[in-house]
Amino acid sequence: MVRRIGRTLAAFLLALTAGGLTVVATGTPAQADGCYTWNRNLSQGMSGEDVRQLQIRVAGYPGYNAELSLDGSYGPATTAAVKRFQQAYGLTADGLAGAQTFNKLYALQDNDCTPVNFSYAELNGCNSTWSGGAVSAGTAKANALVSMWKLQALRHALGDQSLRVTSGFRSYSCNSAVGGASNSRHLYGDGVDLGSGPHSLCTLAKQARYHGFTQILGPGYVGHNDHVHVADSPSRFWSAPTCGVS
């Protein structure tokens, strides 16, 4: 109930500002839920954990063939990503993270910091402990969170229609059971497979190029004619020949 009230308040404030009325904020930004609250406005040149938390949530807005570094430093790339996020949601696109931007992020996140349209359970059909993969359970879960925010950006760009997740994190045993590659990004928590639904696989593969995924595999690539795989690989590799993605 508290979370819903917080989101309603955030939406109300956004509606007021969009309608041309000025909302004067006093003190720190309102906390929408139990996840995270920003206590200062952020802009280029600043650094800290609050910047990194912002970067996680705008990781899906780096631009074509780019990836946003989650380093806690508010540089030009973060400024550009914030601008794209603001543009995507009809906010003032100045690249400054203030009340409007934070309130929109509060409205978009659940109590556990996941975006409202995705969940940890959805990205982990293997085991709830997130253990047994190529990285620690904490790292795998953190990687999955970033991927979810990228998926949220992809979903919004495609008209806020649902995305069908068919696979996420896998332990080595789970990966072996489904015949996954020995170096699969699923083992790291950032690999996600998407099935067709409201959108064709090629639509998904093409649009994913704009949302920070360094690995995109889809139709035409061996073993990927029935899904699109997106991930955060250390090196860029896109291959969905049927869709013209390379």
Side-chain angles (χ1 to χ4, degrees):
M1 180 62 72
V2 172
R3 184 172 64 203
R4 292 180 181 175
I5 292 173
R7 286 189 188 148
T8 300
L9 175 60
F12 175 68
L13 291 173
L14 286 172
L16 286 179
T17 53
L21 296 178
T22 300
V23 177
V24 179
T26 59
T28 60
Q31 181 166 328
D33 53 35
C35 171
Y36 189 83
T37 297
W38 285 271
N39 295 311
R40 60 173 179 164
N41 294 340
L42 301 174
S43 59
Q44 190 164 318
M46 301 177 76
S47 62
E49 176 60 19
D50 50 1
V51 174
R52 193 183 74 87
Q53 290 293 329
L54 174 66
Q55 289 171 329
I56 289 172
R57 291 156 180 78
V58 299
Y61 292 91
Y64 181 83
N65 192 21
E67 183 181 22
L68 182 64
S69 178
L70 309 181
D71 57 4
S73 179
Y74 206 122
T78 299
T79 299
V82 170
K83 282 184 179 179
R84 293 187 188 95
F85 172 83
Q86 292 167 332
Q87 290 168 342
Y89 285 98
L91 308 179
T92 300
D94 54 12
L96 307 175
Q100 275 199 328
T101 300
F102 295 143
N103 282 331
K104 187 60 192 176
L105 290 172
Y106 294 146
L108 285 173
Q109 72 183 14
D110 272 327
N111 203 50
D112 60 357
C113 296
T114 59
V116 292
N117 296 114
F118 299 93
S119 68
Y120 284 119
E122 188 175 14
L123 264 73
N124 186 353
C126 176
N127 65 64
S128 59
T129 66
W130 297 86
S131 61
V135 292
S136 70
T139 297
K141 192 172 183 180
N143 289 344
L145 179 64
V146 177
S147 288
M148 280 188 270
W149 280 102
K150 292 180 180 182
L151 291 174
Q152 186 72 28
L154 173 61
R155 186 183 189 277
H156 184 61
L158 293 174
D160 283 315
Q161 293 180 300
S162 64
L163 300 182
R164 187 166 64 89
V165 175
T166 61
S167 184
F169 168 74
R170 301 174 191 158
S171 65
Y172 278 107
S173 60
C174 290
N175 190 59
S176 177
V178 299
S182 61
N183 62 345
S184 171
R185 293 307 303 180
H186 291 282
L187 296 165
Y188 295 82
D190 56 67
V192 183
D193 291 348
L194 301 172
S196 59
H199 311 289
S200 70
L201 295 179
C202 283
T203 295
L204 295 173
K206 289 177 180 179
Q207 186 61 43
R209 298 176 296 180
Y210 294 87
H211 299 291
F213 295 110
T214 56
Q215 188 175 84
I216 304 172
L217 306 174
Y221 185 76
V222 176
H224 289 72
N225 285 326
D226 61 350
H227 69 280
V228 170
H229 167 85
V230 293
D232 182 18
S233 173
S235 58
R236 177 192 177 282
F237 182 61
W238 295 350
S239 183
T242 301
C243 308
V245 175
S246 62

